[in-house]
């Protein structure tokens, strides 16, 4: 079983939790928005491509297209994508099932995005 989808727009690596002045920990808004975008795209792709929620291991391959040549952490981006996939509720039980791979990192100033390929490992 495989599934492909794209998350358009500037990729957003997972940011560290922050603590408010009242001592409450929270995830930065930009990270929450990006993970929600990933969840929505994954949910639509799962429905359109017949993906069934699995308890097996899943290999996740990412092709990352940054908007410029600045240095960024691809591992933290993979974490944002995995957390978004978990939020969708349709891919796996937990992201511990995921075997992430960053396949390529490129620059596309006109159309930054992340292309995701998921494949159940048998």
């Amino acid at each position: 079983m495989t599934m492909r989808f794209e998350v358009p727009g500037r990729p957003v690596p997972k940011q560290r939790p922050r603590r408010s002045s009242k001592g409450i920990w929270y995830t930065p808004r930009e990270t929450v928005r990006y993970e929600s975008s990933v969840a929505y795209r994954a949910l639509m792709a799962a429905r359109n491509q017949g993906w069934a929620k699995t308890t097996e291991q899943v290999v996740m391959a990412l092709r990352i297209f940054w908007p410029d040549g600045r240095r960024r952490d691809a591992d933290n981006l993979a974490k944002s994508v995995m957390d978004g996939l978990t939020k969708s509720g349709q891919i796996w039980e937990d992201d511990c099932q995921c075997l992430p791979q960053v396949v390529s990192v490129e620059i596309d100033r006109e159309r930054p995005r992340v292309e995701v390929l998921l494949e159940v490992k048998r």
Side-chain angles (χ1 to χ4, degrees):
M1 179 167 55
T2 62
M3 180 174 78
R4 292 179 185 271
F5 68 97
E6 181 179 297
V7 183
R10 184 178 62 84
V12 178
K14 183 83 171 186
Q15 298 175 32
R16 290 187 176 139
R18 308 281 164 84
R19 194 167 75 176
S20 72
S21 60
K22 296 180 181 181
I24 298 171
W25 289 92
Y26 67 95
T27 302
R29 189 173 298 148
E30 186 179 24
T31 298
V32 171
R33 276 193 221 122
Y34 190 74
E35 290 174 359
S36 294
S37 177
V38 170
Y40 174 76
R41 298 286 174 166
L43 184 57
M44 293 298 103
R47 287 181 180 165
N48 292 334
Q49 298 175 40
W51 180 275
K53 188 173 183 177
T54 185
T55 57
E56 303 291 325
Q57 284 191 317
V58 177
V59 175
M60 177 181 77
L62 299 178
R63 292 186 65 211
I64 303 167
F65 296 86
W66 299 113
D68 55 43
R70 288 184 26 215
R71 291 179 56 182
R72 294 179 177 88
D73 191 341
D75 289 343
N76 286 342
L77 177 62
K79 185 61 178 159
S80 279
V81 173
M82 289 189 307
D83 287 350
L85 292 170
T86 301
K87 280 183 183 182
S88 77
Q90 295 297 315
I91 307 304
W92 49 52
E93 295 295 323
D94 188 75
D95 62 10
C96 68
Q97 295 169 237
C98 183
L99 303 170
Q101 302 173 341
V102 175
V103 175
S104 67
V105 177
E106 302 173 40
I107 295 172
D108 188 340
R109 296 181 199 288
E110 301 299 317
R111 204 167 71 86
R113 65 195 179 280
V114 176
E115 296 174 357
V116 181
L117 170 64
L118 301 174
E119 185 173 352
V120 173
K121 185 177 178 187
R122 303 267 177 191

